[in-house]
Structures are given as C-alpha cells and as structure tokens.
Amino acid sequence: MNTNPEEQALLADAAQLRRERMQIGDTEATEAIRRGFANRSASRKRRILPYAVAAVVLAVLLGAGWWQGGPIGGLPALHTAKDMSWGALERYRALSTKDVDHATLESAVRNDYIQIVNKSVSSGLYRITLDAVTADENKIMLLYTATAESGQEIYKVNSVKVTDSNSGKLLNSKFQIGNGDGRSWSGQSTVMLDRSQPFPSRIEVDFQVASVNPGKLGDPKTGTVAADFRYSDRMKIDVDLEPKFEKTPTFVMQPDRSISIDGHKVVLSKVEMSPLLTRATFAIDNGSELDFKTKQSIWDKLRYMTIVSTNRNGRAVQLSPVAGNGTDEGFRQIFSSSMLDKPRSLVLKMYIDSDTGAPKPLKDLPVVELKIK
C-alpha cells in the first residue's frame, strides 16, 4: 500500500474538497455564490434581473440555419429531469445533481452522447471501474466506481490523473465530485482541454483509492488524520475515445453587446458553445490599461451570472457558472452546456444592481434581444 505524501495533501474533508474543486475566484464569497447556483431548486421562485443590467438573448446557429424568433416575454419554467432514466448510469444521476455542471451531463445522457466503457482493473484489495466517458474538443467527463475487499471502507477516489496517450502529456484534471456508502464510491471527474491542441483520441486514466479500516469512516476525525488511511497502488485504464467526440465542433458567436459597470464599458465579445461547455468572454473597454483593483471591482459585480437555455419546444434549463478567470482585457466565464438540446436562445442573466454590486431582484424582466442576421 502507498502512503504517498503527495496524496496526503488531498485528505481534506468533503466540504473543503468541494470548495477547492469549484474555485472560480479568490474569495470564499465567490464559492458561496457558486454553491447557491448549484443548489437552487427548479421549484423555487425564479429570480428576476435588475433593470440596471439587461439580459442578453442569443439566437444560436444549429443544424440547417439561423433561428429567428420574436420578442421573448417571461422566461418559461425551468426543466427538471426527475422522471428521466439514466439506464446503466442511473446511480450517477443523484451524484450529478450535486455538481454545478449537472445540466451538461444530463444533456449528454439524454442525447446519447455517452461512451459506455465498463473497463476494470484491480490492485490488491481495490478495484476501479471506468463506467463511461463523454468528451468534446474542450472537455472530458469521466464516470467511475471504486470498491474494496476485506472490510476496507472507501473514503474516496483521492486522485485521478488523465494522460493523452498520443502525446504523453498530462491533461488538466480540474474538477472532481463523488459519494459512497463505504462499500463503494462513485465519482465524476472533469478534464479541461485546449482545442487549439490535437484532440486526445486515446487517453490513460490513472486512479488511486483511499480507504480506512472498518468503523473508521464514521469517525468525525476521518479526513484529518493521515495515519488512518490506506492507499491503493496506482491503477490505470486505457480508453480509445469515440470519433464523434473529436468531430463535434465548437460553435462561436460574437454578440458585441455591452453594458456599463462602474462607468466602464463591458462588452460580451464572444460566446462559444460545444456539447460540454458554454464559454462567455467579456472585454472591458481599455481593460489592459486598468489597474488590478479596478478590474477586480468590475469582476466582482459581473460574477453573479447564470444562463437560461430554451430549445425549440419551449423546454428551458438553467446553465450554471462552472469556472472563470481573468484576462488582460477582461474575463471569461464557463457555464454548463445544452448545445445537444438544440437551444433556440440563451438568456444571460446578471443578478446585480450596477450601483451597489449586490443582487437585487425586481418584478420586471427587461430583455435585450440580439437578432442574428
């Protein structure tokens, strides 16, 4: 068994792991906002956008041509998938709902954009199974299960490393969630890709499992005492990704819509959509000339965002923020994706009062519609 010091740094409790996994900014307040988006129930009363900041409706190109719709009034009720079967992946449905990116995986399952892998490898007491994978040129999502023998209670899959087998390059494994009952652990990991680089058509997934002796899992100190843990050897599974993942392109729009924050013009300059990712790029006027404190103030006010995606049948889902980062010119925000559902519109909602920077829901929803010609 391994007691690798490198891995002991990962022995934080579940709450801390979630905070690290979902990091979008440098403050705890940012994480609280993200958790609020993730846990908002579809049955709760919908928040409405402040008049000071308009929503932007983005008509999108999918399939044969541009969709041109009329004015949008109130937003439709958000869709829930409680009655949708996930088939062989059913146990991942409840796990996915705990993730801010759950709308992406749900869309992939609903549209059969999933590769069932079902490959296992064992080492000593431990066994890991890579159940399924989905991918596009921006992102890979992995679903896996760990079990152990001899009464060992699984704490978690504490390390997942993904390598591009073609180049030998270690890929950027950023987010991980999971849950278990001691006897097994189901996990979901996300790998971010750079689509300017060759697509990793074959990957190697390298796992390590952490467990404790019988009865230790219920100890309140579990997760803080390194001596309590036993580690598996590294277990590796190779997978050839299905060609459809590489062939599905990213659709790019340039809305060129602007708002004013703290007297500065902020432009929604680009929106990218792929099956597993929606990315919005914002440019601040003369952003490269602004000091960090000024840009941080603008970013703090713009991070209260979500997207409502509506398809041609009127079905709507909420796309939550997943990650974000600053740039020289402004910042980028990554959201969940509903591209596979062929959305007719995306409504970008910013829940702020431009004067105070605080959330301020109002009864009226002003909508600025971007018509694509």
Side-chain angles (χ1 to χ4, degrees), residues 79-87 89 93 102-114 134 275 309 311 313 315-319 337-343:
H79 169 75
T80 60
K82 294 180 180 178
D83 56 348
M84 181 186 118
S85 173
W86 285 40
L89 303 177
R93 177 167 60 170
H102 72 276
T104 301
L105 185 58
E106 186 217 325
S107 177
V109 171
R110 183 172 53 254
N111 290 281
D112 197 26
Y113 193 78
I114 292 283
T134 184
S309 170
N311 69 9
N313 297 323
R315 177 178 169 276
V317 295
Q318 180 172 280
L319 307 181
S337 176
S338 65
M339 178 177 170
L340 296 170
D341 298 321
K342 297 180 174 58

Side-chain angles (χ1 to χ4, degrees), residues 1-2 7 11 121 123 125-129 144-148 152-160 176 182-185 206-212 229-235:
M1 302 298 167
N2 293 338
E7 305 302 340
L11 297 182
V121 63
S123 176
L125 304 176
Y126 303 93
R127 183 178 181 84
I128 192 82
T129 301
Y144 47 86
T145 304
T147 57
Q152 281 292 296
E153 296 180 337
I154 295 183
Y155 179 61
K156 64 183 176 182
V157 177
N158 66 295
S159 175
V160 180
Q176 180 181 355
R183 297 182 299 275
S184 68
W185 174 273
D206 182 338
F207 300 93
Q208 186 176 57
V209 180
S211 69
V212 293
F229 286 87
R230 304 180 71 182
Y231 296 92
S232 73
D233 292 328
R234 309 293 310 194
M235 296 178 284

Side-chain angles (χ1 to χ4, degrees), residues 231-279:
Y231 296 92
S232 73
D233 292 328
R234 309 293 310 194
M235 296 178 284
K236 300 179 181 180
I237 297 176
D238 292 315
V239 181
D240 289 308
L241 298 179
E242 292 182 354
K244 66 182 179 184
F245 297 143
E246 181 178 4
K247 293 178 180 178
T248 305
T250 300
F251 173 58
V252 180
M253 296 173 287
Q254 296 178 319
D256 193 28
R257 303 296 298 190
S258 64
I259 59 175
S260 178
I261 300 293
D262 292 345
H264 296 276
K265 181 180 178 182
V266 179
V267 180
L268 176 59
S269 58
K270 184 165 66 173
V271 175
E272 303 160 79
M273 291 186 66
S274 68
L276 305 184
L277 173 149
T278 304
R279 181 188 286 118

Side-chain angles (χ1 to χ4, degrees), residues 310-342:
T310 307
N311 69 9
R312 289 169 173 80
N313 297 323
R315 177 178 169 276
V317 295
Q318 180 172 280
L319 307 181
S320 298
V322 175
N325 65 280
T327 67
D328 289 340
E329 300 297 328
F331 68 96
R332 285 186 291 265
Q333 182 83 4
I334 294 175
F335 299 86
S336 304
S337 176
S338 65
M339 178 177 170
L340 296 170
D341 298 321
K342 297 180 174 58

Side-chain angles (χ1 to χ4, degrees), residues 93-105:
R93 177 167 60 170
L95 173 61
S96 178
T97 59
K98 299 178 181 180
D99 184 16
V100 288
D101 202 15
H102 72 276
T104 301
L105 185 58

